[in-house]
Amino acid sequence: MENEYQLRVTPQTAYTEEHIKRYLAQEKGLDIRTIHAVRVLRRSIDARHGQIFVNLKVRAYINEDPHDLAYTPTDYREVPEGAPRVLVIGEGPGGLFAALRLIEHGLRPVILERGKDVRARKQDMALITKTQQVDPESNYCFGEGGAGAYSDGKLYTRSKKRGSVEKILNVFCQHGASTAILADAHPHIGTDKLPRVIEGMRETILRCGGEVHFQTKMTRLILEGDTVVGVEAVDLRTGEEKNFRGPVILATGHSARDVYRYLAEAKVEIEAKGIAVGMRLEHPSQLIDQIQYHNKNGRGKYLPAAEYSFVTQVDGRGVYSFCMCPGGFVIPAATGPEQIVVNGMSPSNRGTAWSNSGMVVELRPEDIPGDDALRVMHFQERVEKDCWQQGNRRQTAPAQRMADFVNGKLSYDLPKSSYAPGLISSPLHFWLPKGIAHRLQEGFKVFGRQAHGFLTNEAVCIAVETRTSSPVRILRDRETLMHVRIEGLFPCGEGAGYAGGIVSAGVDGERCADAAELYVKVNK
Ligand SMILES: Cc1cc2nc3c(=O)[nH]c(=O)nc-3n(C[C@H](O)[C@H](O)[C@H](O)COP(=O)(O)OP(=O)(O)OC[C@H]3O[C@@H](n4cnc5c(N)ncnc54)[C@H](O)[C@@H]3O)c2cc1C
């Protein structure tokens, strides 16, 4: 027999299956010997008040064992001989989920990825701290798994497409992610676990007859009139130029500036898109735990590192926290020379001594004069270059204590930080663009009033966060998901301006694959 219960319990009771079993026996009058297993179906923490509770929905298996998997697997089969090929450019979440979905349709995905496989790219990321140089083809944004691979792996999304979101989470579980992501209100995988999951997804693609070409960069589309029939690419190991034929799912992410430049030059319809710009704010994680859990002793043994989320309006623009990483690291996320870009990630246990988040200000295309479709990207480039110059032309990031930033004072020293390439004290209030610095200063005052202790010199502002989303939208038809003019081209994921985050990029990847299948069928 299976029984489901809604429980509101202490963090200690919610901590393990054994604790939950004991609670059910006590509170629901069950004989503990008959409870074979307990499966948590939903879990959320209620930390709004002094006493913290965990809300659980659980299924108890009475006198029987669970007879199904904790996730719903997708049946990926080998694609038939001679199956039509669809090119997938970029192996981030958008490209990976597009490729897997093509396999479900019996089509052969051919992935071109400019970066290296998910393990090899790790070495290039480590070199950033060692050499203070960024490899423009292999870094925190480029390589197998895309920008999502060495991230927090936060998987919550504002997307209302529940079915599609569930599918993405289940595919992650099928490839090795913990099934806790199906239950948690704020699921995350963790940067230590993501590479194995991504390798698993690639293995499925290869086993089913797909192709993955690493260090192979698309350089241009091959067009016949207004139809794309393939791409030109370069093998970055040998310099050999190659052509690949097929319709194209273009999932190159928000940092492939060469792709945007090529599209602009080739007069492919694109437009400027709003982004958000600011900094990473890093606090000691214990301080955030104390504030959010209303307890001077912090989170104790049974609670995860605390999260926060702030939002306000200053002078007509949103100021908000973004991509919060409790118990994580601030990382160097630039994709080329003469740039500093920071971002955040955390391991699955969220166990470091620091908690960080992006603190950003909304930037609209109309905030930048002109009508160039690349003007928001050019703005990003300018701010990133300024930051690199302020950082001594290395990856040492300019930084300022939080209260000093708000009060417009240079910091004489800086607190310890998780940012491995190092920090350098700098008056961010002075050189960040005024519309950004001023709004952040005002926003921090609001957040400090909302959460006592948050506005403090124990926290450090680290510049600059610019890669919050795509600065360009590649225009596509709402129904066919095809580019507005070019047949057979499916702009996909974050880089095309239709997703923001791992899950939404995955959902968009699946949708583009569905659209490509229809296109292939009609044009057979
Ligand atoms: C450090 C960091 C942490 C993040 N944390 C989170 C998080 O916790 N949760 C969350 O939801 N989101 C997070 N994000 C955002 C998330 O990673 C992106 O939204 C997501 O990866 C977008 O997926 P995508 O497939 O559209 O693009 P991307 O992931 O950017 O993938 C694009 C791929 O295309 C490749 N490519 C580019 N140009 C070419 C070319 N010319 N030829 C061939 N290949 C090319 C790139 O190498 C890359 O692998 C984070 C991002 C970063 C940088």
Side-chain angles (χ1 to χ4, degrees):
M1 187 174 57
E2 294 174 10
N3 279 349
E4 289 188 2
Y5 302 94
Q6 300 279 355
L7 310 177
R8 186 170 168 78
V9 298
T10 63
Q12 183 173 3
T13 301
Y15 195 58
T16 64
E17 197 179 296
E18 268 323 296
H19 287 100
I20 300 171
K21 272 189 192 171
R22 261 184 260 143
Y23 178 86
L24 285 177
Q26 247 173 36
E27 297 297 316
K28 305 290 175 189
L30 302 175
D31 178 348
I32 196 159
R33 289 166 301 185
T34 65
I35 312 176
H36 286 209
V38 166
R39 190 176 282 169
V40 176
L41 305 177
R42 285 276 170 268
R43 176 173 27 228
S44 65
I45 296 171
D46 183 353
R48 285 170 300 172
H49 310 290
Q51 168 84 42
I52 292 165
F53 288 101
V54 180
N55 294 320
L56 294 177
K57 180 178 178 188
V58 300
R59 183 181 298 146
Y61 293 84
I62 317 284
N63 287 323
E64 66 177 41
D65 294 326
H67 42 78
D68 56 348
L69 291 168
Y71 61 88
T72 311
T74 301
D75 187 14
Y76 294 110
R77 297 183 183 186
E78 201 174 332
V79 300
E81 275 288 307
R85 297 152 75 91
V86 177
L87 307 182
V88 178
I89 316 300
E91 201 200 337
L96 275 165
F97 278 94
L100 286 169
R101 184 76 181 151
L102 289 169
I103 286 169
E104 282 185 71
H105 287 305
L107 300 171
R108 192 180 307 280
V110 178
I111 299 179
L112 311 190
E113 168 53 58
R114 74 195 294 164
K116 299 179 185 169
D117 72 72
V118 71
R119 301 274 163 193
R121 86 184 258 214
K122 204 170 174 182
Q123 288 151 20
D124 296 321
M125 288 170 355
L127 280 177
I128 298 175
T129 299
K130 235 181 180 166
T131 63
Q132 299 281 330
Q133 305 291 328
V134 177
D135 180 336
E137 306 298 347
S138 177
N139 47 57
Y140 274 95
C141 292
F142 294 164
E144 185 178 36
Y150 291 96
S151 77
D152 209 32
K154 275 183 288 294
L155 299 176
Y156 46 95
T157 166
R158 276 171 298 183
S159 168
K160 297 278 175 292
K161 300 180 190 109
R162 273 329 307 168
S164 317
V165 171
E166 299 285 315
K167 164 84 184 290
I168 301 298
L169 299 183
N170 278 282
V171 172
F172 277 133
C173 292
Q174 184 169 355
H175 293 97
S178 159
T179 52
I181 64 173
L182 301 176
D184 287 335
H186 287 179
H188 77 112
I189 296 182
T191 188
D192 49 329
K193 301 269 159 71
L194 270 160
R196 183 68 208 103
V197 174
I198 289 161
E199 277 174 337
M201 292 166 80
R202 183 220 308 155
E203 280 157 20
T204 299
I205 291 166
L206 294 176
R207 173 176 57 76
C208 295
E211 296 173 19
V212 182
H213 300 263
F214 290 120
Q215 295 183 268
T216 303
K217 177 160 77 169
M218 180 205 88
T219 47
R220 56 186 294 271
L221 302 170
I222 305 174
L223 294 170
E224 285 177 3
D226 277 344
T227 302
V228 70
V229 294
V231 302
E232 288 180 12
V234 57
D235 183 326
L236 296 170
R237 287 158 292 200
T238 60
E240 188 192 345
E241 291 184 1
K242 295 178 171 175
N243 286 359
F244 294 83
R245 307 290 287 189
V248 176
I249 295 179
L250 187 67
T252 45
H254 61 29
S255 288
R257 290 175 175 164
D258 47 358
V259 174
Y260 294 138
R261 282 200 180 88
Y262 158 71
L263 294 175
E265 270 164 32
K267 307 241 177 307
V268 173
E269 288 76 358
I270 58 174
E271 67 181 17
K273 189 187 132 302
I275 56 168
V277 174
M279 52 178 58
R280 276 275 142 182
L281 179 66
E282 184 174 69
H283 285 79
S285 58
Q286 206 191 2
L287 182 60
I288 297 300
D289 294 342
Q290 287 166 343
I291 296 171
Q292 294 301 89
Y293 291 138
H294 322 285
N295 189 332
K296 65 177 176 10
N297 297 320
R299 68 173 182 263
K301 191 172 160 197
Y302 302 108
L303 283 167
E307 298 175 33
Y308 61 74
S309 166
F310 291 108
V311 59
T312 189
Q313 286 277 318
V314 180
D315 295 342
R317 292 286 177 275
V319 178
Y320 55 94
S321 59
F322 172 81
C323 179
M324 205 243 145
C325 301
F329 309 91
V330 178
I331 53 113
T335 48
E338 304 197 355
Q339 306 170 354
I340 287 186
V341 180
V342 288
N343 210 309
M345 66 180 194
S346 47
S348 52
N349 70 0
R350 290 188 158 165
T352 79
W354 295 275
S355 290
N356 71 74
S357 76
M359 281 288 177
V360 292
V361 178
E362 176 194 2
L363 181 85
R364 299 182 188 163
E366 62 264 30
D367 296 337
I368 302 164
D371 58 3
D372 182 348
L374 299 184
R375 66 189 183 282
V376 178
M377 184 181 100
H378 292 149
F379 176 86
Q380 278 180 320
E381 288 179 317
R382 275 199 304 279
V383 178
E384 291 166 8
K385 186 162 181 180
D386 284 352
C387 192
W388 172 78
Q389 280 166 337
Q390 297 289 338
N392 272 350
R393 298 167 176 255
R394 295 156 59 85
Q395 286 300 308
T396 41
Q400 190 172 13
R401 287 181 184 265
M402 185 186 187
D404 288 345
F405 170 74
V406 169
N407 296 319
K409 276 172 52 182
L410 184 70
S411 298
Y412 291 107
D413 60 3
L414 295 170
K416 265 193 150 173
S417 164
S418 67
Y419 182 75
L423 302 181
I424 179 166
S425 178
S426 175
L428 307 189
H429 65 275
F430 180 71
W431 65 263
L432 277 177
K434 276 281 162 290
I436 306 290
H438 159 71
R439 286 188 174 91
L440 282 173
Q441 286 173 315
E442 294 307 308
F444 285 171
K445 288 182 199 165
V446 175
F447 304 155
R449 286 196 290 275
Q450 289 173 351
H452 183 67
F454 186 77
L455 172 47
T456 167
N457 256 346
E458 282 187 63
V460 62
C461 306
I462 306 175
V464 61
E465 173 123 5
T466 46
R467 310 282 178 97
T468 47
S469 68
S470 170
V472 168
R473 180 173 291 110
I474 308 174
L475 300 180
R476 76 182 186 193
D477 180 83
R478 280 168 148 265
E479 301 255 303
T480 63
L481 304 192
M482 209 139 55
H483 183 259
V484 286
R485 179 174 53 87
I486 301 174
E487 291 233 341
L489 176 64
F490 300 87
C492 174
E494 182 152 37
Y498 300 98
I502 295 170
V503 173
S504 61
V507 169
D508 199 53
E510 289 217 327
R511 291 184 68 216
C512 287
D514 291 346
E517 190 242 355
L518 210 61
Y519 175 78
V520 169
K521 237 193 219 159
V522 171
N523 290 282
K524 243 206 301 229

